[in-house]
Amino acid sequence: MKLDAHLGVDVVAHEADDTVDVLLHLEAPTAHTVDRAPSTLQVVLDRSGSMAGRPLDGAKRALVALVERLEPTDNLGLVVFDDTAEVVVPAGPLTDKAGVLDRIRAVRPGGTTDLSAGYVRALREVKRVFAEPWDVLFPDGDDPQATTGRAGATVLIISDGHVNAGLRDVDRFADLARAAYADRVTTTTLGYGEGYDETLLSALARGGSGNHVFAADPDAAGAAIAQEVDGLLEKVALAASLTVRFAPEVAMLRLFNDLPAQQVGDGAVMVELGDLWSGEARKLLLRLHVPAMPALGLAQVASLDLQWVELPGLVEHTVSLPISVNVVPGDEAAQRVPDPTVRSEVLFQEAQEAKRKASEAFERGDLDVGRTYLGETELLLDGAAGLLDGAGKAELDAERADVRRMQQLSTEAPPTHVSKLTRASYHQQNRKRGRRRESDGGQ
């Protein structure tokens, strides 16, 4: 795994408080072998009454395509839910694909929406698979890992509605996802159509360090599910985390990326990054408070430890990187020129925050406020693009074009549609910043 850092300013004034923005670039290794660890995918499918017809039929077609891409050694499970949960495909190796396909095709719509019943039942299925040894797959004892649990799993939730039965509290759902992720179970959510609760599904994805995707129709849902399977099959790193350790008196003022983070000791914060696929790139942006430095010269203000578990060998790795600034006299520091790439990223992430506020406004039906925040998003992106050229500017131009389309849709489409589109875009460009652009199911 590659890790490098760019500072907004690499010099600070002697005996003066300052702030330093740090832009981190991560790049996962590229898989050079066709061998991969068996994957575990647990699908949680909403079959409530609102899914009847094209939505459920489209989801089933996507799941059929998913099964056909997996290997017999991969683990797959399917739980469906309405007012209750039902295990349609018990989680386990895909040794009988034809039987699994028949069970998927036989799913029929039901009643109300109790997502908690489906999610908890799915987590129980994953836990059961984790506890089973691999003797059935490696009868000669050539077991590359003790249990499937060590390789982790992904829970994919597909839902089109607001929860109207069972657990409804967003924070409790997020806590469930966080607890599952602590056991290497990633939670990804696919919001289908325009009736689902984007706040809830987004919170589940954040807590579970997974993705949150919006699909407006069956075709978009199929493409989104295929994208998730791509990531699952190309996964090379599990449970990546970044621990930032600060020098005395230095503090993190802000983590611009909306990622799970917690203090893990005095002057140390750990940020959860989730799993990474082959060759995947990510960007993180931090803002540090640097106190008045009493001595001139190079001073280390923080150190970074990037940790992950490599697949398929399940080897734990750590990469460390010091963060230092040069303390210079005040008149010299006054002549410094901020790094344009870092400054552009700051403006980009401030634009994402405005986009998130736009989504929340559209979700509550406040169109004027939502459009105002989208206008603010565009202005910030204009400023970010003006600082760059080449590939960096091209990426920002694509984001600006997306935001302009969102602004146009805000005058044509229902606010529920725009809310979901902007929320999914925020997730991609803030929480998973740097990951290759996914197909936009909401356009």
Side-chain angles (χ1 to χ4, degrees):
M1 189 94 72
K2 297 178 182 178
L3 173 65
D4 58 60
H6 300 272
L7 275 60
V9 291
D10 58 4
V11 298
V12 298
H14 180 226
E15 295 184 332
D17 287 356
D18 211 337
T19 59
V20 176
D21 294 324
V22 183
L23 174 59
L24 305 177
H25 293 266
L26 293 73
E27 185 176 340
T30 300
H32 297 292
T33 174
V34 295
D35 295 331
R36 64 175 178 85
S39 299
T40 298
L41 177 62
Q42 176 67 50
V43 180
V44 183
L45 177 62
D46 185 347
R47 67 159 183 190
S48 60
S50 60
M51 285 285 286
R54 290 184 70 241
L56 186 57
D57 290 342
K60 291 194 294 183
R61 286 196 303 272
L63 293 181
V64 166
L66 179 159
V67 169
E68 292 173 343
R69 294 183 59 192
L70 297 178
E71 298 293 332
T73 51
D74 291 320
N75 294 293
L76 177 73
L78 172 61
V79 168
V80 297
F81 69 93
D82 48 12
D83 53 324
T84 59
E86 176 187 349
V87 177
V88 173
V89 178
L94 266 174
T95 53
D96 181 15
K97 280 194 177 185
V100 168
L101 294 175
D102 287 342
R103 292 178 184 181
I104 291 173
R105 293 185 178 112
V107 172
R108 296 291 180 266
T112 56
T113 305
D114 184 354
L115 175 56
S116 60
Y119 186 44
V120 171
R121 189 67 185 88
L123 293 177
R124 287 175 56 200
E125 279 293 285
V126 171
K127 183 177 180 180
R128 178 180 60 76
V129 173
F130 278 11
E132 292 180 356
W134 281 41
D135 294 346
V136 64
L137 302 182
F138 301 92
D140 298 327
D142 185 19
D143 187 347
Q145 56 195 53
T147 67
T148 57
R150 290 184 60 196
T154 297
V155 173
L156 171 60
I157 299 173
I158 305 170
S159 180
D160 80 328
H162 277 253
V163 174
N164 51 28
L167 180 64
R168 307 184 194 190
D169 184 80
V170 172
D171 291 337
R172 299 243 344 245
F173 269 109
D175 288 342
L176 279 175
R178 275 192 290 271
Y181 182 71
D183 289 330
R184 294 187 184 172
V185 180
T186 299
T187 300
T188 282
T189 59
L190 171 62
Y192 200 169
E194 296 179 6
Y196 70 88
D197 185 339
E198 55 267 43
T199 296
L200 173 57
L201 292 192
S202 182
L204 271 166
R206 181 185 185 277
S209 292
N211 300 320
H212 169 59
V213 185
F214 166 40
D217 54 48
D219 290 341
I225 291 172
Q227 178 81 31
E228 288 306 311
V229 175
D230 287 343
L232 182 71
L233 300 184
E234 296 176 16
K235 195 177 292 186
V236 295
L238 291 175
S241 65
L242 180 77
T243 301
V244 186
R245 305 183 191 280
F246 308 104
E249 307 304 323
V250 175
M252 186 161 69
L253 294 179
R254 182 177 179 185
L255 170 64
F256 285 79
N257 308 81
D258 184 18
L259 296 170
Q262 58 184 326
Q263 189 165 344
V264 291
D266 290 340
V269 173
M270 183 173 66
V271 183
E272 298 289 359
L273 304 176
D275 304 334
L276 289 88
W277 60 49
S278 176
E280 179 181 351
R282 295 275 190 92
K283 296 180 183 179
L284 275 77
L285 183 63
L286 314 173
R287 176 166 289 169
L288 306 182
H289 167 259
V290 178
M293 295 289 188
L296 296 171
L298 198 64
Q300 182 172 323
V301 294
S303 64
L304 309 176
D305 290 329
L306 175 63
Q307 297 178 305
W308 75 97
V309 177
E310 178 189 3
L311 290 174
L314 295 171
V315 179
E316 294 191 14
H317 293 276
T318 300
V319 170
S320 299
L321 181 69
I323 303 297
S324 299
V325 296
N326 194 21
V327 184
V328 298
D331 56 349
E332 184 176 339
Q335 305 302 315
R336 67 189 184 185
V337 178
D339 183 288
T341 300
V342 178
R343 179 56 188 160
S344 177
E345 185 66 19
V346 170
L347 293 173
F348 183 92
Q349 288 303 337
E350 288 176 347
Q352 301 313 307
E353 178 66 13
K355 186 193 295 178
R356 182 188 63 79
K357 292 178 179 178
S359 177
E360 293 173 346
F362 287 124
E363 185 179 13
R364 62 178 182 263
D366 197 336
L367 300 180
D368 289 340
V369 171
R371 290 169 186 152
T372 297
Y373 277 122
L374 280 183
E376 181 180 330
T377 302
E378 184 178 17
L379 287 174
L380 288 164
L381 290 172
D382 288 345
L387 294 169
L388 301 179
D389 54 21
K393 185 175 187 303
E395 180 186 19
L396 282 168
D397 286 343
E399 169 71 357
R400 292 159 76 194
D402 283 348
V403 171
R404 286 193 292 270
R405 284 194 291 270
M406 293 172 193
Q407 290 175 308
Q408 182 62 35
L409 280 171
S410 73
T411 67
E412 301 171 351
T416 53
H417 180 99
V418 187
S419 170
K420 290 164 174 58
L421 180 62
T422 49
R423 191 70 58 92
S425 175
Y426 166 78
H427 174 95
Q428 174 69 19
Q429 299 291 14
N430 174 273
R431 295 179 186 167
K432 302 293 182 177
R433 172 66 171 142
R435 174 174 280 187
R436 63 177 179 250
R437 295 173 67 86
E438 298 174 356
S439 58
D440 190 346
Q443 295 290 345

